[in-house]
Amino acid sequence: MKDGNQIGVYICHCGTNIARTVDIQEVAGFARSLPGVAVVREYKYMCSDPGQALIKEDIKSERLTHVVVASCSPLMHEETFRGACEDAGLNRFLFQMSNIREQCSWVHHERSEATEKAKRLIAAAVRRVAQHRPLLRQEVPVRGEALVVGAGIAGIEAALRLADSGRHVYLVEKESSIGGHMARFDKTFPTLDCAACILTPKMVTVGQHPNITLLTLSAVEEVKGFVGNFHVKVHQHARYVTADCTGCGECEKVCPCVHPNDFDLLGSTRKAIYRSFPQAIPNAYVIEKRGVPMCEETCPIHTRTQGYVNLIAHGDFTGALKVIRDVNPFPASLGRVCHHPCEDRCQRGYHDESLAICALKRFVADREIELGLSPEPVRPEPNGRKVAVVGSGPAGLTGAYDLARKGYAITIFEKYGKPGGLMRTGIPPFRLPREILDREVAHVLAHGVELRLNTPLGESGVTIESLKEDGFDAILLALGTTKGRDLGIPGEHLVGVVNCLDYLREANLHDRAETGRRVAVVGGGNAAVDAARTALRHGAENVMILYRRTREEMPAIGAEIEAAKHEGVELHFLVNPVELRVGPSGRLNRVRCQKMRLGQPDEGGRRRPIPIDGEYVEFEIDQVILAISQLPDLDFLVKDKDFDLTKWATLRADPYTCETGKLGVFAAGDAVTGPSTVVEAMASGRQAATAVDLYLHGEDLDILRQESHRPQELPLMDHVRRPDLPRKPRARIPVNHGAGISFEEVERTFTREQAMEEAARCLVCGGCSDCRICSDACDREAIDHLMADTVHELDVGAIVVATGFEPYDVRKLPRYGYGRHDDVITALEFERMCHASGPTGGRITTKKGEAPKTVAILHCIGSRDESHLEYCSRVCCMYSLKFAHLVREHTGAEVYNFYIDIRAFGKGYEEFYKRLLREGVHFIRGKAAEVTAVAESPEEEGKLMVVAEDTLLGITRRVPAELVILSAGLAPRKDSSDVAHVFSLGCAQGGFFLEKHPKLAPVDTPTEGIFLAGACQGPKDIPDSVAQGSAAAAGALVLMDRGKVVLEPIRAVIREERCGGCKLCVASCPFGAVEYDAERSISRVVRELCHGCGTCAAGCPSGAATQENFEDTQILAEIEGALAV
Amino acid sequence: MAQERFEPRLVGFLCRWCSYTGADLAGTSRIEYPANLATIRVMCTGRVDPTFVVKALVDGADGVLIAGCHPGDCHYGEGNYKAQRRYWLLMNLLLQFGIERERVRLEWISAAEGDRFARVVRELTETVRTLGPLRWKERVEVVA
Amino acid sequence: MAKPKVAFYWCASCGGCEEAVVDLAEGILPIVDAVEIVLWPVALDFKLEDVRGWKPGDVAVAFINGSVRSADHEMWVNLLREKCGLVVAFGSCAHLGGIPGLANCTTRDRILENKYLRAETVVNPQSILPQLQTRVDGHELELPELWNTVRRLDQVIDVDYYLPGCAPPPASIATAVQAILSGNLPPKGSVLAPEKSLCETCPRNRAKPEQFTIQQFRRIATSVPDPEKCFLAEGYACLGPATRGGCGERCIRGNMPCRGCFGPTPDALDQGTKFLAALGAVTAGQTQEEVATVAATLADPLGTLYRFSLPSSLLGRSVSDKGAER
């Protein structure tokens, strides 16, 4: 305690608020006895002018050094009295307030106890204030911009007020249009004027206001800084439609994707590109994209699967084919031979069976052929650069296709007499008919691609050097695999042992393959299965596949394995050939196999086969086809030291940029990756083509190294929206076993109807199918499917939070039958129902489409209910009355309102209630107990009955109703706690934001500079929300017009002379406001960043850190005081 | 002779944003609770140095309340978490000094929970009343 | 003129402080030249009667080490206070209560019981405990009463200066003595050591990260600290941040976390709770369970936080006799 203190203590009666329970005289007497106290006065209302005058006079006449006022809460009047001190020339922080009203007289009824506590509180304040020292307040400027969050009627009002007074406003709205709930209403109580008519003009003004920046589809992610200087991060989701959109709606017409309409409800639907309602602001359309669906994600060439599927569903087959050909020149071929990973994780599969995507692709392609149409090649202006592609397999052709479509002049060099690589030499015609393949290769060539056949890489053909000399700017090697791998077992070189690739090549290219009677095919891949089935077709009587693992591990496509079994191929598993033996005739006649079992999975995840010692089995055969694995033939290439091989004997190339050791030479396909499927090879070819294009534009290839985003499942679709349809089976050619299985194609294609039905099973889990025909339909070119989200960083002086409410979920009250009975609807659904532009065009009807003769309106659903919402929604009485009127007006039906009390407190509300009584609406006082379809008497049969106790008659009533409207209560938004966290707001009533004072500061929050408006603060009707919108705007304007704010001097201070630099305060500061100075080994507070929480002061182990006006000495003194009595 | 009822002396450290406002709300809503607790306002429970708690106990408090915003609601983000960590370290220490855990209580009370504040004060008062006086200085003298 | 007279005395002491004086080595010679040592039980013979015979102020300064915990200690320190011009609390025990101060986490009876009855090495069939008076072959023998609560020196007599440390480093002893001889003394009541915490001079402070989290506390008894890294950041309850510097970081250099023998910094009211407050910012845990779990890994908080300063802590002692147990 410093000496020479002259402390003045002022005790307020607060009328009788304090005096009633606290003995002021006794307390005053006590205060006089406290050390340092010079003056003690009591007065009826200390906060009044005369009250303050007392203090001011004493400060001057008694030369007071400190002042204590014991009255209400400091949150109430601290500033008032500090001001008084300052007026009288005493530093405003040499003051302390003692809360003897809110925390004493109002909560303690026993006079003696309240008096004793008042003494303790005052003693604490007196001791504390003696430790106070003069402080200066820091003034900081206030920014002129404002942020309004939520564009319902409250937010709109606030934004307009601010904008009209010349401030710039950022208006952030989560939805695609502003308007909030009001935009969905038909009429408004009690005046019954049409909501649209009064709201739309305001919305339009917002849309056109030069001072308003409207950010729809946006959410505030982070708020930093402090009053007058907030720094805000806003995340805006892509709309995929630019401002050029005129809202003509052509896109909507062509969009194939249908989704439930969350705005109109009642089971109505909208397209994936949509506009919530005709008067939406901004008027632009928006596309619902939920992310990349698995079918597209898992496709090696990322075909926009849902795009073409949904076009097929709508009969736009040409459009579908266009989508496919954007990335894939071989729809008909892939439609036959693709291993379609797209079908593995199709969401439809979670509900019944995944979509037959591959077959749909084939359907559109085949249909084109049937109609004799031929695809138009894309041929841009030649860019004058030449690229050589070596190899005409799927990789080479895809590379050529992509590059040609970019304007390069392409020449393909092919080793054999026909193009297609393994698509031709490997895959048999009964899976991929030749005319199909020829046609699609022709389409690639139609892009001005030159093809040179019988031109291998090597002396006999072209070399890297010769190609360079011929002026090719880049070379793409897609050499494929042409050599079969040997087993490395005795007898492998006997006559009758043939390699699968050679065998198939002979069969497929020249249609003559030497085939034995009993044939064993060794291997489990597609090549093996193809070879087996080919052998059958070339006269083998008995064909067996020998595989060292089991069916599980077979890499071959399941359907093909089935087909092979179907055709009579024997499958022998867990056998591994160890020797090929000759018979007496000296010709191959037996294969000896080691029996195997499965061990642990290898890195590829397939279980490794392990020999079972001493267990062997032999098969009678006269031909063995080895289909173990394949290798590229690179003997020529590797003579050049720039090229080298991997340990798998494949060509080494950069996995991202496809660059080989030689500049300008790129490589792709099986020669690099090892054996793969057609579509995988195509993907590899595309990757190389992209690299070549970048390389020839002199770009940095490293951008190709950026990892593509990880595939992630999209949120599951509600499959109720599509009827369960099993996958369409496709016709097969009947198989006759034994001789003469035909070379004709086995699988036939969908019919038109089958295809459309199958395609319609797609759930469009991507939201938008990405077919992009809307882009074609839009002549303003306003649609950008590649638009990205944006993050806006805003600096604002004040923030108005107006995030609104959501109707209580009536499903939580099953007894009212919502979801079970079609004709039980929610209030919001009714609003849409009687809205002229709603789903029924304003017709009030039952689900069957008839006008109801009796309508029941149930008040307080979820409201005033201990187990749901305790509070009154403040609007449901009035809107229920409005509903009653509308029903009478539109249908003349009998209307029954079930209510607890009628709360018609607003201007004109009671009159409206009277009017409804006159209109002959039935009012039953008693909350409805349940809505049931269980009849208790014959005349109740087939009717919905509303059961309630009529508390006026004291009887239970059962009222039949053809339409039941549930007037649901108003609940906080589900995300309100997140919002509260972002803006550091308090919450009450389970999520409504807390105002600073329930009466005197209803739109302020404890955080200076942040205001509340509308139903986010509590249930409200439109007039109140509008009023709050204006009030909040006014609050913000006060700040901005003042132009500066004074910051409480409660910042942390670190006394250098005492700081040992232990850095623990740096760790304890949530705002990064403490920095460590390594030079001087001390920590320092950055004042601007400090928010004054005092955590560092508490946590400073050496007591060097302290907090202004909350110093240890001050708090410790307060503790002593509080316990001294 | 009639047994004089023991009235515990309690000190409460309340964060200005949630709990102190909550205590005021109890007042504006006229929710009665025992007069045993004298509150001390801090900006954040993060400011509450365990030294304050010990100081209060030594100076004659029979119990102490620390009250702040609910987890996640701290006006400064994480002050209440730090308070909670200090609280548990302190509890273990006080046990060794022979001070019952129940005498020092940490509570989350939001600005809207006036009733909760009143309830907590009632409970703490009763708990400490049953534990009996702490009278630290005297007891230390007695065992000295 | 006559050399100033100097007295050394020990109360509840381990003798380490005496060692510290001897550790001055040659440094002691100028002192011995400059002063006349009139009392030094560890080194010189003396008689209580002689000391009683001194006139007040006769002796310039008394260096008293050890904490005060018996009637005999009390008698001696009062006597020296009366006779000596200056009294210097020498070492952690006199300054803060020191290691003997840990007796305050239990009771005298418990201590005697453990020492004379329970200890495994004790054979005491008749369970004899020390008596204040006993007769042995006709002779009345007395023992000074052992207090229940250990006190630091200035809780018993007025102290002019404090020389912290267990034991005080020779260097600071030398400077202290020089200061006293030269007569240019700091204000009464000063602690003759820096005012900043140990971290300022700690060789490991640069290596200390600005942000770190302690998932669980570690003890040197059960794990070996990294000789480069900051102890605290590694999870060892190193009291450096809450302890005065000036010790020469002897423990740190021995790869031993600071145990706080120099006592709290001038602004810290209580060394233990202040350190504990600091831990709040760097220990892990959000939920009550997590937080309680981490807290539980700090073994024996009382002994760890008040190893040298229990009698100086705000609470002063434990009121249970189980304070040593966790």
Side-chain angles (χ1 to χ4, degrees), chain A residues 17 73-76 78 82 96-99 101-104 106-110 113-114 117 120-121 124 128 977 980-981 984-989 994 996-999 1006-1008 1050 1067-1071 1091-1100 1105-1107 1110-1112 1115-1120 1122-1125, chain B residues 5 7-11 13-14 16-53 55-63 71-80 82-83 86 110-113 117-118 121 129:
Chain A
N17 277 304
S73 167
L75 303 185
M76 188 88 178
E78 188 169 48
R82 281 178 169 176
Q96 176 69 8
M97 201 156 167
S98 181
N99 183 347
R101 191 181 72 176
E102 281 82 348
Q103 296 189 16
C104 188
W106 275 353
V107 287
H108 310 313
H109 296 175
E110 178 51 52
E113 287 175 2
K117 179 167 169 183
R120 292 174 63 191
L121 294 175
R128 188 190 208 276
S977 62
H981 198 214
S984 57
L985 300 168
C987 288
Q989 290 180 325
L994 206 64
K996 187 175 184 181
H997 189 284
K999 300 173 195 63
T1007 313
E1008 213 187 336
I1050 50 170
S1068 77
C1069 179
F1071 305 100
H1091 284 48
C1093 63
T1095 308
C1096 56
C1100 174
T1106 171
Q1107 182 185 11
F1110 287 89
E1111 296 177 20
D1112 283 6
I1115 297 174
L1116 291 168
E1118 195 172 359
I1119 297 171
E1120 286 168 6
L1123 293 161
V1125 188
Chain B
R5 186 171 81 147
E7 287 301 338
R9 303 208 302 169
L10 310 175
V11 173
F13 300 96
L14 310 187
R16 172 237 183 286
W17 300 101
C18 292
S19 304
Y20 193 89
T21 319
D24 276 1
L25 179 60
T28 35
S29 341
R30 309 293 199 283
I31 306 173
E32 191 186 6
Y33 57 84
N36 304 62
L37 177 90
T39 62
I40 289 174
R41 184 170 52 121
V42 289
M43 292 308 289
C44 175
T45 43
R47 176 66 182 98
V48 180
D49 176 345
T51 314
F52 299 166
V53 178
K55 166 78 170 162
L57 294 173
V58 170
D59 284 1
D62 302 297
D73 290 354
C74 174
H75 186 74
Y76 304 100
E78 50 199 49
N80 48 359
K82 295 189 174 94
R86 289 171 180 147
S110 87
E113 296 175 319
F117 176 79
V121 178
R129 185 173 281 137

Side-chain angles (χ1 to χ4, degrees), chain A residues 795-840:
Chain A
D795 290 298
V796 298
I799 299 175
V800 177
V801 178
T803 48
F805 69 99
E806 66 187 32
Y808 191 68
D809 179 3
V810 296
R811 285 190 182 75
K812 292 181 187 162
L813 299 110
R815 61 180 181 280
Y816 296 114
Y818 182 81
R820 283 205 313 283
H821 306 305
D822 286 341
D823 289 317
V824 178
I825 65 174
T826 67
L828 203 51
E829 285 171 329
F830 181 78
E831 291 281 4
R832 294 313 295 162
M833 183 185 274
C834 52
H835 197 290
S837 63
T840 63

Side-chain angles (χ1 to χ4, degrees), chain A residues 743-759:
Chain A
F743 287 91
E744 204 184 321
E745 183 169 24
V746 174
E747 288 204 328
R748 294 217 196 108
T749 190
F750 277 140
T751 66
R752 189 172 188 283
E753 293 63 32
Q754 285 174 324
M756 289 175 69
E757 248 178 81
E758 176 67 17

Side-chain angles (χ1 to χ4, degrees), chain C residues 58-72:
Chain C
D58 243 5
V59 177
V61 50
F63 294 94
I64 304 176
N65 71 70
S67 47
V68 187
R69 65 182 304 189
S70 78
D72 180 59

Side-chain angles (χ1 to χ4, degrees), chain C residues 76 85 99 103-104 114 118 125 134 142 167 176 191 208-209 217 225 238-239 256 274 304 306 322-323:
Chain C
W76 266 102
I99 296 285
N104 288 3
N114 286 342
R118 292 223 185 130
T134 36
E142 285 192 1
V191 177
K208 181 184 195 173
F217 287 96
C238 172
L239 261 66
M256 166 76 79
K274 255 316 190 181
T304 311
Y306 298 109
K322 300 183 180 53

